[in-house]
Amino acid sequence: CRVTDDEFRLVDGMCTHARVHLAGGALLASGDRCEIECPKHNARFDVRTGEATRAPGRHSLTTYRVEIAKGGVTTRFDALSE
């Protein structure tokens, strides 16, 4: 997810409530909000921090920094949050 013009984040792909894949969920980004919504029960998570922002999300998602360099996308799997 692009959180600013030059900042991206990668998050775990499973909802912490029901272990549903978040890839089918909506990405909600406007103003200072950047969340992903679970397609099954509508839990929401802040993509910048991983924080569960709407029930029934139980725990935060792990987030990772993403870098765009030389036309490629890279990430290091040392977590920014857990």
Side-chain angles (χ1 to χ4, degrees):
C1 173
R2 175 180 268 174
V3 294
T4 67
D5 285 342
D6 60 350
E7 187 178 8
F8 298 82
R9 288 286 187 270
L10 174 70
V11 298
D12 285 339
M14 299 294 279
C15 179
T16 60
H17 165 247
R19 305 294 300 161
V20 173
H21 290 280
L22 294 172
L27 186 59
L28 309 167
S30 67
D32 64 347
R33 185 176 76 174
C34 190
E35 299 172 309
I36 190 161
E37 183 176 70
C38 177
K40 186 165 186 174
H41 296 116
N42 303 100
R44 288 186 185 174
F45 302 89
D46 186 315
V47 200
R48 296 165 299 189
T49 64
E51 177 186 2
T53 58
R54 182 202 247 174
R58 295 181 181 181
H59 307 285
S60 296
L61 300 173
T62 302
T63 60
Y64 307 91
R65 183 173 285 115
V66 175
E67 296 179 9
I68 309 296
K70 299 180 183 175
V73 179
T74 60
T75 190
R76 290 179 39 195
F77 287 100
D78 50 338
L80 290 172
S81 69
E82 290 189 51

CSV table of all heavy atoms in Angstrom, one decimal, residues 3 5 10 18 24 31 33 35-36 40 42 50 55 60 64 66 70:
chain,number,residue,atom,x,y,z
A,3,VAL,N,1.5,4.7,1.3
A,3,VAL,CA,0.9,5.5,2.4
A,3,VAL,C,1.3,7.0,2.2
A,3,VAL,O,0.6,7.8,2.8
A,3,VAL,CB,1.4,5.0,3.7
A,3,VAL,CG1,0.8,3.6,4.0
A,3,VAL,CG2,2.9,4.9,3.9
A,5,ASP,N,3.5,9.7,-1.0
A,5,ASP,CA,4.0,9.7,-2.3
A,5,ASP,C,5.2,8.8,-2.5
A,5,ASP,O,5.5,8.3,-3.6
A,5,ASP,CB,4.3,11.1,-2.8
A,5,ASP,CG,3.0,11.9,-3.2
A,5,ASP,OD1,2.0,11.3,-3.3
A,5,ASP,OD2,3.1,13.1,-3.2
A,10,LEU,N,4.0,-3.1,3.5
A,10,LEU,CA,3.5,-4.4,3.2
A,10,LEU,C,3.0,-4.9,4.5
A,10,LEU,O,3.6,-4.7,5.6
A,10,LEU,CB,4.7,-5.3,2.7
A,10,LEU,CG,4.5,-6.8,2.6
A,10,LEU,CD1,3.5,-7.0,1.4
A,10,LEU,CD2,5.8,-7.5,2.4
A,18,ALA,N,-10.5,-13.9,11.8
A,18,ALA,CA,-11.0,-15.1,11.3
A,18,ALA,C,-10.1,-15.8,10.3
A,18,ALA,O,-10.5,-16.7,9.6
A,18,ALA,CB,-12.4,-14.9,10.7
A,24,GLY,N,-8.6,-9.9,-0.8
A,24,GLY,CA,-9.9,-9.6,-1.4
A,24,GLY,C,-10.6,-8.5,-0.7
A,24,GLY,O,-11.7,-8.1,-1.1
A,31,GLY,N,-7.4,11.2,2.9
A,31,GLY,CA,-6.8,12.0,4.0
A,31,GLY,C,-5.7,11.4,4.7
A,31,GLY,O,-4.8,10.9,4.1
A,33,ARG,N,-6.1,8.6,6.5
A,33,ARG,CA,-6.5,7.2,6.7
A,33,ARG,C,-6.0,6.3,5.6
A,33,ARG,O,-6.0,6.7,4.4
A,33,ARG,CB,-8.1,7.1,6.7
A,33,ARG,CG,-8.6,5.8,7.0
A,33,ARG,CD,-10.1,5.8,7.1
A,33,ARG,NE,-10.6,5.8,5.7
A,33,ARG,CZ,-11.9,5.7,5.4
A,33,ARG,NH1,-12.8,5.6,6.4
A,33,ARG,NH2,-12.3,5.7,4.2
A,35,GLU,N,-6.3,2.2,5.4
A,35,GLU,CA,-6.7,1.0,6.0
A,35,GLU,C,-7.0,-0.1,5.0
A,35,GLU,O,-7.4,0.2,3.9
A,35,GLU,CB,-7.9,1.2,6.9
A,35,GLU,CG,-7.8,2.2,8.0
A,35,GLU,CD,-9.1,2.5,8.7
A,35,GLU,OE1,-10.1,2.9,8.0
A,35,GLU,OE2,-9.1,2.4,9.9
A,36,ILE,N,-6.9,-1.3,5.4
A,36,ILE,CA,-7.4,-2.4,4.6
A,36,ILE,C,-8.6,-3.0,5.4
A,36,ILE,O,-8.5,-3.1,6.6
A,36,ILE,CB,-6.3,-3.5,4.3
A,36,ILE,CG1,-6.9,-4.5,3.3
A,36,ILE,CG2,-5.8,-4.1,5.5
A,36,ILE,CD1,-5.8,-5.2,2.5
A,40,LYS,N,-14.6,-10.5,4.9
A,40,LYS,CA,-15.6,-11.3,5.5
A,40,LYS,C,-16.4,-10.7,6.6
A,40,LYS,O,-17.6,-10.7,6.6
A,40,LYS,CB,-14.9,-12.6,6.1
A,40,LYS,CG,-15.9,-13.6,6.6
A,40,LYS,CD,-15.3,-14.9,6.9
A,40,LYS,CE,-16.4,-15.9,7.3
A,40,LYS,NZ,-15.9,-17.3,7.4
A,42,ASN,N,-15.5,-7.3,7.9
A,42,ASN,CA,-15.3,-5.9,7.9
A,42,ASN,C,-14.3,-5.4,9.0
A,42,ASN,O,-14.4,-4.2,9.3
A,42,ASN,CB,-16.6,-5.1,7.9
A,42,ASN,CG,-17.5,-5.5,6.7
A,42,ASN,OD1,-18.4,-6.3,6.9
A,42,ASN,ND2,-17.2,-5.0,5.6
A,50,GLY,N,-0.3,-1.3,11.2
A,50,GLY,CA,-0.8,-2.7,11.5
A,50,GLY,C,-1.9,-2.7,12.5
A,50,GLY,O,-2.6,-3.8,12.7
A,55,ALA,N,-13.4,-3.4,15.1
A,55,ALA,CA,-13.8,-4.8,15.5
A,55,ALA,C,-14.4,-5.5,14.3
A,55,ALA,O,-15.0,-4.8,13.4
A,55,ALA,CB,-14.7,-4.8,16.7
A,60,SER,N,-3.0,-6.6,16.1
A,60,SER,CA,-2.4,-5.9,15.0
A,60,SER,C,-1.8,-6.8,13.9
A,60,SER,O,-1.4,-7.9,14.3
A,60,SER,CB,-1.3,-5.0,15.5
A,60,SER,OG,-1.8,-4.0,16.3
A,64,TYR,N,5.7,-4.2,7.2
A,64,TYR,CA,7.1,-4.2,6.7
A,64,TYR,C,7.3,-3.0,5.8
A,64,TYR,O,6.4,-2.6,5.1
A,64,TYR,CB,7.4,-5.5,5.9
A,64,TYR,CG,7.1,-6.7,6.6
A,64,TYR,CD1,5.8,-7.3,6.5
A,64,TYR,CD2,8.0,-7.3,7.5
A,64,TYR,CE1,5.5,-8.5,7.2
A,64,TYR,CE2,7.7,-8.5,8.1
A,64,TYR,CZ,6.4,-9.1,8.0
A,64,TYR,OH,6.1,-10.2,8.7
A,66,VAL,N,8.6,-1.2,2.5
A,66,VAL,CA,8.9,-1.5,1.1
A,66,VAL,C,9.7,-0.4,0.4
A,66,VAL,O,9.4,0.8,0.7
A,66,VAL,CB,7.5,-1.7,0.4
A,66,VAL,CG1,7.7,-1.9,-1.1
A,66,VAL,CG2,6.7,-2.8,1.0
A,70,LYS,N,15.5,1.4,-8.6
A,70,LYS,CA,15.9,0.9,-9.9
A,70,LYS,C,14.8,0.1,-10.6
A,70,LYS,O,15.0,-0.9,-11.2
A,70,LYS,CB,17.2,0.0,-9.8
A,70,LYS,CG,18.3,0.8,-9.2
A,70,LYS,CD,19.5,-0.1,-9.1
A,70,LYS,CE,20.7,0.7,-8.4
A,70,LYS,NZ,21.8,-0.2,-8.2
